[in-house]
Amino acid sequence: MEKVFTIKKLNLKYGEKTALLDINMDIPKNEITALIGPSGCGKSTLLRTLNRMNDLIENCHVKGDIKYEGNDIFSKDFDVIDLRTNVGMVFQKPNPFPMSIFDNVAYGPRCQGVKDKKILQETVIQALKNAALYDEVRDRLKESAKELSGGQQQRLCIARAIAMRPDVILMDEPTSALDPIATAKIEDLILELKQKYTIVIVTHNMQQAARISDNTAFLLMGELIEYDKTDKIFSNPAKAKTEEYITGRFG
Amino acid sequence: MTYRTQFDSELDNLKLNLIRMSDLVIRNITDALHSFINMNSELAERIIKEDKLVNDFEYSIEKECMRIILREQPVAKDLRLITSVLKMITDLERIGDHAVDLSRLTVFMEKSEGNFNLPQIKLMIDVCEEMIRLALDSFVNKDINMAKEVIDKDDLVDDYFEEIKQLVVKAIKENNISADYSIYLMMAAKYLERIGDHAVNLAEWVIFSITGEHQ
């Protein structure tokens, strides 16, 4: 199993409040890893730590190691911009920029200095195709992204992440604001994306975790209670707490 | 605080219905075995009629399992329990069918001429009865050791079956048994051997519901 991230003894505090406690886990390449657990368990914090989004939060203190492709992401020499280029993120609520569909997807490559119109055109179209959105928007690339439906906006955000040519895509409850059909489309897309990218997804929907992920990590009050193959977690978890949570006995 | 109280009570109800079905099957099989030993065709006729109740139980429990899967989307121990119940009712129904088979044999044998007593049949009956009871108890008490005991006892049933086969063959060769009677006896022994196998299946599903591992 090839690992993209190796997490060792990760501890994170917001001020005095412990959010993550001694987390040890590996994220395998080209697999979907789901982070589950009740609200406030630390799953979104863990996700955001993987591309150092927590750096933006005041009073956030991190201890321990996270290695991305063997490199320590907290070392002084490590380029955070590079990390965030390689490790893209999709949020709970679709957040298209107030610009055209085309410009939304082209935004990242332009920031990276791509100016050639032909290259930009190709990058945008390919990203939209990979995000299973191109066929629906091919005739209105110049229209505002705000005109798209919620599900289309979320796929646009995925296309925007893909346009940066990342290795990993982090998804923080990407379907929680979507209806069942839009959710199904995103789930199909996630399974498709697995061929090219490593995906880490935070979800409150346990059926979703069971349907799409290869590995599932269960967190509770900042601790990693259990981390195993998804089939094992949902059929015969090793820990009683995991079983109580996934069977809906608490949470 | 515990959630899903309705789901929990549905699961309790499911277990209760499985126990009720098991009780009925145990009663039928015990009566069938005794009717067979004592050649009581009146009792045998009642068992044949009561098989419909066993089939009705299987149908209603199966329907309830499907409903729970649909409505509650169970996982982990809940899913294992429901899967086990779905498999166990099939074995219980088959045991019920064998109670009917044995009862039909009783009716035939009472009418047929000949008498050939084999103590091994009675011994086989006793082991089979005990295996079914133990399997049910292991389910109620979630007791893996009890379930394993059921699996171990099957060797005894198989040994008795082999012994009966040898004795019937010997009796045929020595002309001590009629053709009809020898066939009926072997059929009875085979039904008992199959009942032993179904009891083993029950025990294996009990173990699966507890451990998640099926042998």
Side-chain angles (χ1 to χ4, degrees):
Chain A
M1 179 191 75
E2 209 178 326
K3 304 164 201 166
V4 176
F5 284 105
T6 305
I7 304 166
K8 278 199 180 133
K9 288 190 176 173
L10 179 70
N11 285 271
L12 187 143
K13 279 186 174 185
Y14 294 122
E16 288 304 305
K17 193 183 174 294
T18 300
L20 295 173
L21 190 66
D22 274 335
I23 307 284
N24 293 292
M25 66 188 290
D26 296 328
I27 308 282
K29 197 176 177 72
N30 291 108
E31 289 189 12
I32 301 169
T33 299
L35 307 179
I36 62 166
S39 298
C41 71
K43 53 193 188 301
S44 291
T45 299
L46 176 59
L47 188 81
R48 285 198 305 266
T49 311
L50 296 176
N51 70 349
R52 285 184 53 181
M53 291 281 280
N54 288 323
D55 287 9
L56 308 170
I57 297 172
E58 249 184 90
N59 271 333
C60 176
H61 308 289
V62 185
K63 267 188 186 173
D65 291 330
I66 297 184
K67 287 201 166 69
Y68 167 66
E69 300 283 4
N71 301 308
D72 179 3
I73 69 166
F74 299 120
S75 84
K76 281 178 187 166
D77 313 331
F78 197 84
D79 188 336
V80 183
I81 304 293
D82 259 5
L83 177 70
R84 291 187 190 143
T85 304
N86 290 323
V87 183
M89 189 141 189
V90 175
F91 297 89
Q92 185 175 357
K93 212 173 154 206
N95 55 349
F97 301 144
M99 49 182 78
S100 73
I101 294 166
F102 184 94
D103 288 342
N104 258 277
V105 185
Y107 187 86
R110 277 182 179 139
C111 287
Q112 282 178 319
V114 179
K115 284 181 183 149
D116 186 307
K117 279 189 180 172
K118 202 178 160 207
I119 294 174
L120 274 177
Q121 182 89 9
E122 279 170 8
T123 306
V124 169
I125 289 173
Q126 197 52 50
L128 286 169
K129 278 182 178 169
N130 288 346
L133 185 60
Y134 184 67
D135 288 344
E136 292 166 48
V137 299
R138 62 195 305 167
D139 301 326
R140 44 186 182 135
L141 292 176
K142 296 290 169 199
E143 283 178 24
S144 168
K146 295 281 182 190
E147 300 298 316
L148 297 173
S149 70
Q152 287 172 327
Q153 286 186 8
Q154 194 61 304
R155 278 180 284 150
L156 180 71
C157 293
I158 293 172
R160 203 169 58 194
I162 291 171
M164 300 294 281
R165 299 181 196 279
D167 295 325
V168 182
I169 304 175
L170 308 177
M171 297 183 169
D172 196 352
E173 296 185 55
T175 61
S176 64
L178 305 180
D179 67 39
I181 299 293
T183 297
K185 281 186 183 172
I186 298 279
E187 286 184 7
D188 283 350
L189 173 60
I190 292 171
L191 288 168
E192 195 68 32
L193 293 174
K194 189 175 88 163
Q195 313 299 323
K196 291 182 183 165
Y197 311 97
T198 301
I199 292 162
V200 186
I201 180 170
V202 164
T203 179
H204 270 295
N205 181 339
M206 275 176 288
Q207 271 73 37
Q208 181 173 68
R211 273 195 300 270
I212 65 170
S213 70
D214 300 294
N215 316 292
T216 298
F218 169 55
L219 288 104
L220 185 64
M221 295 167 78
E223 283 185 80
L224 179 62
I225 303 295
E226 191 168 349
Y227 180 40
D228 211 327
K229 288 282 165 201
T230 296
D231 287 348
K232 171 86 171 78
I233 293 277
F234 284 94
S235 63
N236 194 13
K239 302 281 169 64
K241 276 282 168 212
T242 314
E243 185 135 53
E244 280 175 37
Y245 180 71
I246 62 168
T247 57
R249 268 28 176 239
F250 85 95
Chain B
M1 185 180 166
T2 305
Y3 300 105
R4 303 194 86 175
T5 45
Q6 184 180 320
F7 180 36
D8 283 338
S9 83
E10 283 171 344
L11 290 179
D12 286 344
N13 203 35
L14 190 65
K15 284 187 251 181
L16 195 65
N17 279 334
L18 183 84
I19 292 164
R20 282 186 185 134
M21 181 181 177
S22 305
D23 279 343
L24 179 63
V25 170
I26 287 175
R27 201 185 78 196
N28 279 2
I29 199 74
T30 308
D31 286 351
L33 299 172
H34 289 282
S35 77
F36 182 76
I37 293 170
N38 304 317
M39 287 294 133
N40 181 344
S41 60
E42 208 174 298
L43 183 58
E45 298 280 9
R46 181 185 64 72
I47 296 156
I48 295 167
K49 278 182 197 155
E50 277 205 352
D51 188 49
K52 190 187 173 302
L53 294 177
V54 176
N55 295 345
D56 289 349
F57 252 121
E58 186 197 21
Y59 178 71
S60 70
I61 293 175
E62 192 179 77
K63 219 169 125 186
E64 185 58 10
C65 286
M66 296 297 182
R67 199 191 66 79
I68 295 176
I69 290 170
L70 175 78
R71 299 279 295 254
E72 303 286 355
Q73 300 172 359
V75 293
K77 63 179 178 183
D78 302 330
L79 181 61
R80 297 202 305 272
L81 171 72
I82 294 166
T83 309
S84 300
V85 168
L86 270 173
K87 301 296 284 190
M88 287 170 79
I89 54 172
T90 307
D91 282 302
L92 283 169
E93 194 272 335
R94 297 271 161 82
I95 294 173
D97 285 348
H98 289 318
V100 171
D101 293 334
L102 278 166
S103 302
R104 289 209 172 105
L105 270 185
T106 304
V107 176
F108 289 141
M109 285 172 91
E110 205 189 16
K111 287 174 191 161
S112 86
E113 288 193 9
N115 193 2
F116 185 78
N117 282 330
L118 282 178
Q120 286 82 354
I121 285 274
K122 172 75 175 75
L123 292 170
M124 214 174 168
I125 286 170
D126 290 344
V127 181
C128 286
E129 252 190 79
E130 198 190 349
M131 284 171 79
I132 302 167
R133 281 185 201 284
L134 265 177
L136 180 63
D137 286 348
S138 71
F139 175 75
V140 173
N141 300 312
K142 295 182 181 171
D143 189 328
I144 296 173
N145 290 331
M146 218 183 259
K148 283 181 177 164
E149 213 181 308
V150 176
I151 296 169
D152 291 344
K153 278 188 189 295
D154 192 43
D155 288 344
L156 205 54
V157 175
D158 292 345
D159 290 347
Y160 283 136
F161 178 73
E162 269 309 307
E163 217 176 306
I164 290 166
K165 197 168 78 183
Q166 301 299 333
L167 287 167
V168 170
V169 169
K170 189 168 175 274
I172 292 169
K173 281 180 183 168
E174 291 170 358
N175 239 350
N176 287 338
I177 191 169
S178 71
D180 287 4
Y181 213 85
S182 64
I183 288 170
Y184 292 151
L185 260 183
M186 277 319 297
M187 283 171 75
K190 190 64 195 166
Y191 293 143
L192 290 167
E193 191 266 337
R194 290 299 299 146
I195 289 169
D197 289 344
H198 288 301
V200 167
N201 290 348
L202 291 174
E204 285 175 351
W205 287 113
V206 171
I207 293 172
F208 171 77
S209 71
I210 301 166
T211 65
E213 311 229 330
H214 189 251
Q215 290 172 343

